[in-house]
Amino acid sequence: MPAKIYQEKNCIENHAEEILSFGKRALIMTGGHSAQMNGSLRKVQEVIVGGGGSFAVFHEVEENPSVQTIMKAAAFGKSMKVDMVIGIGGGSPMDAAKAAALMLAHPNKKWDYMYEKDADSSRLPLVLIPTTCGTGSEATGVSVLTRHDKGTKGAIPHRIYADLSLIDPGYLKSAPLQLLRNTAIDALAHMYESYLNTTATDYSRMCVDKGLEIWAKSLEVLRGEREAADEDFENMMTASAMAGMAICLTGTTIPHTLSYRLTYNLHMPHGKAVGYFLPGYLAEADPKDAAHLLKLSGFESVKDLAEFYEAVCGREEISGELADQIAEDVLSRTEKIALCPYTLDKEVLHRIIKG
Ligand code: NAP
Ligand code: ZN
């Protein structure tokens, strides 16, 4: 896992020198509000100015960022003559920062360069600062972008890791409970999908086993049974980063592939969309493996997991037409089917979708 990651209180100021070592003029990429509100943007700006550098802020990264947004950010960065990129926020600004860092290093290429397989993935230096507890993008090389021309989203083939990822759990304090729930369920999905995966290794399963144990410590917070304490924010961030390390080694599988059109068509947040398929994915797995994962994450059974999901996210029925469409999506992705540890035909897929 090539990204260098630190996690601690005051993480940004503690690693000011390392941030400054990457360049003199940074393109900072954020969403519309949260990075301003929780103080992370101001902290990065102070560190850069304090070290004699300068920055330009692109704060137009939308949730599930599109290819068009990346091109707009890259054009802005080029006009500002930036020499490094910093992404602050949830998975959306972090994934967008990865793709913009790629395009800024290839300024004469058009948008489709992002989708060119086996092409040069060199990029501007990249620093990532997560403020949600789900995607693990600070650890992975994956950048997931929305393709409006195809009506869905998916990972670009380039693998782009942060040079430096700075995790300060304090920035999670401003997150509403529903955001904690959605993103923690994303981390849970990363761990389940990494474990129930044909490419799982002792190393990836080590990250899952420990990550789930840490994840489960804040289950009461997610259930709404108690307020989150500092320790919970730390645990949620650790579990999310460990889950990221696990999928770094294995990739995600069926629930993620099924989720993308749900997010695109129904505007369902990413974590909620992947969580929709987790009970079904576990129900089809080797019962011993499923029992191991459920126990570590604090659930008694698949039914208990399904009830938890329904209680904290609300389960929406999806139409038969959409179910057929997402099943077709998966059946055309042979590389994803190859990662599933059990035989996956149309019938099994529909059982997973039904939950
Ligand atoms: P997100 O789309 O980055 O952010 C969701 C919302 O949370 C935004 O409205 C954002 O506001 C807000 N927010 C972020 N941090 C906050 C905080 N600390 N306090 C209050 N509000 C905050 O959500 P996400 O679930 O983290 O990321 C989802 C994206 O990541 C999807 O595109 C998904 O496909 C991708 N993903 C990537 C990987 C990977 O390995 N790279 C893995 C899984 C998922 P602002 O817009 O104002 O910032
Ligand atoms: Zn995910």
Side-chain angles (χ1 to χ4, degrees):
M1 206 265 313
K4 184 174 183 182
I5 302 182
Y6 292 100
Q7 176 173 331
E8 64 205 353
K9 201 174 168 199
N10 303 325
C11 202
I12 297 171
E13 40 288 44
N14 291 353
H15 298 281
E17 244 177 67
E18 275 178 90
I19 299 175
L20 292 161
S21 73
F22 292 116
K24 293 199 170 351
R25 189 160 170 76
L27 172 65
I28 303 178
M29 293 180 62
T30 70
H33 304 287
S34 68
Q36 280 100 316
M37 271 167 31
N38 62 32
S40 51
L41 174 61
R42 188 172 36 81
K43 194 55 74 187
V44 169
Q45 290 171 328
E46 280 170 10
V47 159
I48 293 175
V49 172
S54 62
F55 58 81
V57 184
F58 181 86
H59 50 71
E60 292 173 46
V61 182
E62 74 276 37
E63 292 182 36
N64 308 295
S66 67
V67 164
Q68 287 81 357
T69 298
I70 305 309
M71 293 313 285
K72 195 173 172 189
F76 174 65
K78 191 176 166 187
S79 72
M80 291 294 180
K81 299 189 169 46
V82 301
D83 55 9
M84 66 180 288
V85 180
I86 303 178
I88 311 174
S92 298
M94 290 194 286
D95 285 8
K98 289 175 179 178
L102 172 78
M103 294 313 288
L104 279 161
H106 304 274
N108 299 322
K109 297 285 187 191
K110 295 204 184 71
W111 70 271
D112 51 2
Y113 188 71
M114 285 185 259
Y115 289 87
E116 228 174 276
K117 286 189 180 135
D118 304 319
D120 174 14
S121 295
S122 57
R123 46 152 183 88
L124 290 194
L126 178 66
V127 178
L128 296 180
I129 299 167
T131 66
T132 64
C133 54
T135 70
S137 184
E138 67 277 16
T140 74
V142 175
S143 170
V144 182
L145 302 179
T146 295
R147 287 282 294 267
H148 291 303
D149 59 330
K150 295 201 161 174
T152 189
K153 44 188 289 209
I156 62 173
H158 296 268
R159 287 294 166 263
I160 303 161
Y161 294 90
D163 292 290
L164 181 68
S165 287
L166 302 173
I167 307 173
D168 186 333
Y171 295 123
L172 209 50
K173 285 183 190 168
S174 61
L177 179 58
Q178 198 54 51
L179 182 63
L180 294 179
R181 286 170 163 171
N182 291 343
T183 58
I185 288 173
D186 187 21
L188 185 70
H190 295 160
M191 293 188 274
Y192 286 174
E193 291 179 47
S194 176
Y195 195 96
L196 299 173
N197 195 305
T198 52
T199 62
T201 65
D202 287 342
Y203 289 97
S204 65
R205 288 188 161 173
M206 172 182 76
C207 293
V208 174
D209 285 355
K210 192 68 194 170
L212 285 179
E213 193 188 310
I214 295 169
W215 188 93
K217 290 181 184 173
S218 298
L219 192 50
E220 287 172 351
V221 173
L222 301 177
R223 287 189 192 275
E225 291 168 357
R226 66 172 172 84
E227 291 285 313
D230 285 354
E231 214 179 307
D232 292 303
F233 296 122
E234 277 166 32
N235 286 334
M236 288 187 211
M237 281 308 217
T238 308
S240 174
M242 278 191 189
M245 291 175 203
I247 55 167
C248 220
L249 296 167
T250 60
T252 54
T253 59
I254 308 308
H256 267 70
T257 313
L258 284 168
S259 79
Y260 292 137
R261 213 180 271 272
L262 231 57
T263 294
Y264 193 87
N265 289 21
L266 307 179
H267 308 290
M268 207 183 267
H270 174 68
K272 177 173 172 172
V274 292
Y276 195 98
F277 306 106
L278 287 184
Y281 190 58
L282 258 68
E284 298 294 329
D286 179 330
K288 260 205 316 225
D289 285 343
H292 173 76
L293 294 172
L294 288 164
K295 187 170 176 219
L296 279 176
S297 43
F299 300 107
E300 283 170 14
S301 59
V302 169
K303 187 167 169 276
D304 188 21
L305 169 69
E307 285 169 359
F308 162 77
Y309 174 79
E310 193 162 350
V312 305
C313 284
R315 193 179 158 84
E316 291 156 35
E317 280 311 311
I318 59 174
S319 70
E321 196 190 338
L322 184 57
D324 287 342
Q325 210 177 25
I326 60 180
E328 284 308 312
D329 283 348
V330 172
L331 290 169
S332 67
R333 299 283 304 276
T334 46
E335 81 288 1
K336 286 290 176 192
I337 292 176
L339 297 179
C340 180
Y342 46 83
T343 308
L344 198 78
D345 55 22
K346 210 169 171 176
E347 211 176 296
V348 175
L349 257 178
H350 277 282
R351 281 206 300 270
I352 294 175
I353 294 168
K354 229 166 150 220

PDB file of all heavy atoms in Angstrom, residues 62-74:
ATOM      1  N   GLU A  62     -18.711  18.046  -6.551  1.00  0.00           N
ATOM      2  CA  GLU A  62     -20.031  17.567  -6.134  1.00  0.00           C
ATOM      3  C   GLU A  62     -19.917  16.134  -5.613  1.00  0.00           C
ATOM      4  O   GLU A  62     -18.906  15.470  -5.836  1.00  0.00           O
ATOM      5  CB  GLU A  62     -21.019  17.622  -7.311  1.00  0.00           C
ATOM      6  CG  GLU A  62     -20.845  16.548  -8.397  1.00  0.00           C
ATOM      7  CD  GLU A  62     -19.790  16.885  -9.447  1.00  0.00           C
ATOM      8  OE1 GLU A  62     -18.744  17.484  -9.113  1.00  0.00           O
ATOM      9  OE2 GLU A  62     -19.993  16.487 -10.621  1.00  0.00           O
ATOM     10  N   GLU A  63     -20.955  15.655  -4.948  1.00  0.00           N
ATOM     11  CA  GLU A  63     -20.971  14.254  -4.520  1.00  0.00           C
ATOM     12  C   GLU A  63     -20.962  13.382  -5.772  1.00  0.00           C
ATOM     13  O   GLU A  63     -21.599  13.698  -6.755  1.00  0.00           O
ATOM     14  CB  GLU A  63     -22.221  13.952  -3.678  1.00  0.00           C
ATOM     15  CG  GLU A  63     -22.191  14.674  -2.341  1.00  0.00           C
ATOM     16  CD  GLU A  63     -23.397  14.359  -1.472  1.00  0.00           C
ATOM     17  OE1 GLU A  63     -23.890  13.213  -1.493  1.00  0.00           O
ATOM     18  OE2 GLU A  63     -23.847  15.273  -0.763  1.00  0.00           O
ATOM     19  N   ASN A  64     -20.226  12.291  -5.742  1.00  0.00           N
ATOM     20  CA  ASN A  64     -20.068  11.422  -6.912  1.00  0.00           C
ATOM     21  C   ASN A  64     -19.562  12.246  -8.107  1.00  0.00           C
ATOM     22  O   ASN A  64     -20.268  12.413  -9.100  1.00  0.00           O
ATOM     23  CB  ASN A  64     -21.382  10.732  -7.268  1.00  0.00           C
ATOM     24  CG  ASN A  64     -21.987  10.033  -6.067  1.00  0.00           C
ATOM     25  OD1 ASN A  64     -21.415   9.097  -5.545  1.00  0.00           O
ATOM     26  ND2 ASN A  64     -23.126  10.528  -5.598  1.00  0.00           N
ATOM     27  N   PRO A  65     -18.350  12.783  -7.996  1.00  0.00           N
ATOM     28  CA  PRO A  65     -17.863  13.764  -8.975  1.00  0.00           C
ATOM     29  C   PRO A  65     -17.842  13.237 -10.412  1.00  0.00           C
ATOM     30  O   PRO A  65     -17.582  12.063 -10.655  1.00  0.00           O
ATOM     31  CB  PRO A  65     -16.432  14.050  -8.495  1.00  0.00           C
ATOM     32  CG  PRO A  65     -16.057  12.870  -7.666  1.00  0.00           C
ATOM     33  CD  PRO A  65     -17.314  12.397  -7.028  1.00  0.00           C
ATOM     34  N   SER A  66     -18.121  14.151 -11.329  1.00  0.00           N
ATOM     35  CA  SER A  66     -18.194  13.753 -12.740  1.00  0.00           C
ATOM     36  C   SER A  66     -16.873  14.032 -13.451  1.00  0.00           C
ATOM     37  O   SER A  66     -16.055  14.842 -12.996  1.00  0.00           O
ATOM     38  CB  SER A  66     -19.306  14.544 -13.431  1.00  0.00           C
ATOM     39  OG  SER A  66     -18.939  15.914 -13.475  1.00  0.00           O
ATOM     40  N   VAL A  67     -16.723  13.404 -14.585  1.00  0.00           N
ATOM     41  CA  VAL A  67     -15.565  13.612 -15.460  1.00  0.00           C
ATOM     42  C   VAL A  67     -15.466  15.100 -15.838  1.00  0.00           C
ATOM     43  O   VAL A  67     -14.373  15.678 -15.892  1.00  0.00           O
ATOM     44  CB  VAL A  67     -15.746  12.719 -16.712  1.00  0.00           C
ATOM     45  CG1 VAL A  67     -14.832  13.122 -17.835  1.00  0.00           C
ATOM     46  CG2 VAL A  67     -15.571  11.264 -16.342  1.00  0.00           C
ATOM     47  N   GLN A  68     -16.622  15.734 -16.046  1.00  0.00           N
ATOM     48  CA  GLN A  68     -16.637  17.166 -16.418  1.00  0.00           C
ATOM     49  C   GLN A  68     -16.038  18.025 -15.305  1.00  0.00           C
ATOM     50  O   GLN A  68     -15.285  18.968 -15.574  1.00  0.00           O
ATOM     51  CB  GLN A  68     -18.075  17.642 -16.689  1.00  0.00           C
ATOM     52  CG  GLN A  68     -18.676  17.140 -17.986  1.00  0.00           C
ATOM     53  CD  GLN A  68     -19.235  15.717 -17.910  1.00  0.00           C
ATOM     54  OE1 GLN A  68     -19.134  15.040 -16.889  1.00  0.00           O
ATOM     55  NE2 GLN A  68     -19.803  15.249 -19.002  1.00  0.00           N
ATOM     56  N   THR A  69     -16.359  17.673 -14.059  1.00  0.00           N
ATOM     57  CA  THR A  69     -15.814  18.446 -12.932  1.00  0.00           C
ATOM     58  C   THR A  69     -14.289  18.314 -12.874  1.00  0.00           C
ATOM     59  O   THR A  69     -13.578  19.287 -12.593  1.00  0.00           O
ATOM     60  CB  THR A  69     -16.446  17.957 -11.602  1.00  0.00           C
ATOM     61  OG1 THR A  69     -17.849  18.207 -11.675  1.00  0.00           O
ATOM     62  CG2 THR A  69     -15.866  18.676 -10.398  1.00  0.00           C
ATOM     63  N   ILE A  70     -13.801  17.118 -13.150  1.00  0.00           N
ATOM     64  CA  ILE A  70     -12.334  16.908 -13.119  1.00  0.00           C
ATOM     65  C   ILE A  70     -11.673  17.805 -14.170  1.00  0.00           C
ATOM     66  O   ILE A  70     -10.653  18.456 -13.904  1.00  0.00           O
ATOM     67  CB  ILE A  70     -11.966  15.423 -13.425  1.00  0.00           C
ATOM     68  CG1 ILE A  70     -12.680  14.473 -12.488  1.00  0.00           C
ATOM     69  CG2 ILE A  70     -10.443  15.235 -13.389  1.00  0.00           C
ATOM     70  CD1 ILE A  70     -12.577  14.750 -11.022  1.00  0.00           C
ATOM     71  N   MET A  71     -12.258  17.846 -15.373  1.00  0.00           N
ATOM     72  CA  MET A  71     -11.659  18.647 -16.442  1.00  0.00           C
ATOM     73  C   MET A  71     -11.694  20.136 -16.090  1.00  0.00           C
ATOM     74  O   MET A  71     -10.761  20.879 -16.394  1.00  0.00           O
ATOM     75  CB  MET A  71     -12.374  18.379 -17.777  1.00  0.00           C
ATOM     76  CG  MET A  71     -12.169  16.972 -18.298  1.00  0.00           C
ATOM     77  SD  MET A  71     -10.442  16.401 -18.270  1.00  0.00           S
ATOM     78  CE  MET A  71      -9.749  17.320 -19.657  1.00  0.00           C
ATOM     79  N   LYS A  72     -12.778  20.564 -15.410  1.00  0.00           N
ATOM     80  CA  LYS A  72     -12.893  21.965 -15.004  1.00  0.00           C
ATOM     81  C   LYS A  72     -11.827  22.288 -13.950  1.00  0.00           C
ATOM     82  O   LYS A  72     -11.151  23.330 -14.026  1.00  0.00           O
ATOM     83  CB  LYS A  72     -14.306  22.192 -14.424  1.00  0.00           C
ATOM     84  CG  LYS A  72     -14.688  23.623 -14.305  1.00  0.00           C
ATOM     85  CD  LYS A  72     -16.150  23.751 -13.889  1.00  0.00           C
ATOM     86  CE  LYS A  72     -16.459  25.210 -13.586  1.00  0.00           C
ATOM     87  NZ  LYS A  72     -17.765  25.389 -12.979  1.00  0.00           N
ATOM     88  N   ALA A  73     -11.664  21.372 -12.993  1.00  0.00           N
ATOM     89  CA  ALA A  73     -10.666  21.592 -11.934  1.00  0.00           C
ATOM     90  C   ALA A  73      -9.255  21.599 -12.520  1.00  0.00           C
ATOM     91  O   ALA A  73      -8.414  22.422 -12.129  1.00  0.00           O
ATOM     92  CB  ALA A  73     -10.790  20.501 -10.880  1.00  0.00           C
ATOM     93  N   ALA A  74      -9.005  20.684 -13.473  1.00  0.00           N
ATOM     94  CA  ALA A  74      -7.663  20.611 -14.066  1.00  0.00           C
ATOM     95  C   ALA A  74      -7.361  21.882 -14.864  1.00  0.00           C
ATOM     96  O   ALA A  74      -6.244  22.421 -14.803  1.00  0.00           O
ATOM     97  CB  ALA A  74      -7.549  19.371 -14.948  1.00  0.00           C
TER      98      ALA A  74
END
